[in-house]
């Protein structure tokens, strides 16, 4: 996927999110960095929920989606 970003040369605006348990989300930071260096633009920092997303995490996901959708 990051190779496709570089080849396309168009700006890709995205938000990333995920949940984790014991790993504390190290993979999310790695994914963010890889996509960032491939040319992705993030209107907000990655969103991480611990375990199954609760109501607060789901609200944050909705807000992230609105930020991404509202960015040009």
């Amino acid at each position: 996927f990051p190779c496709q970003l570089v080849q396309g040369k168009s700006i890709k605006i995205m938000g990333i999110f995920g949940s984790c348990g014991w790993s504390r989300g190290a993979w999310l930071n790695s994914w963010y960095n890889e996509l960032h260096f491939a040319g992705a633009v993030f209107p907000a920092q990655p969103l991480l929920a611990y375990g199954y997303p609760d109501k607060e995490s789901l609200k944050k996901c909705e807000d992230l989606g609105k930020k991404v959708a509202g960015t040009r």
Side-chain angles (χ1 to χ4, degrees), residues 20-66:
C20 69
W22 58 269
S23 71
R24 297 188 180 235
W27 61 270
L28 190 62
N29 291 327
S30 296
W31 194 25
Y32 171 83
N33 289 331
E34 188 174 342
L35 292 169
H36 173 74
F37 289 116
V41 175
F42 299 93
Q45 291 296 314
L47 176 61
L48 184 62
Y50 293 95
Y52 189 81
D54 57 13
K55 286 183 180 182
E56 182 181 343
S57 296
L58 291 174
K59 173 72 170 114
K60 289 179 181 180
C61 282
E62 288 178 17
D63 293 343
L64 175 62
K66 288 175 184 176

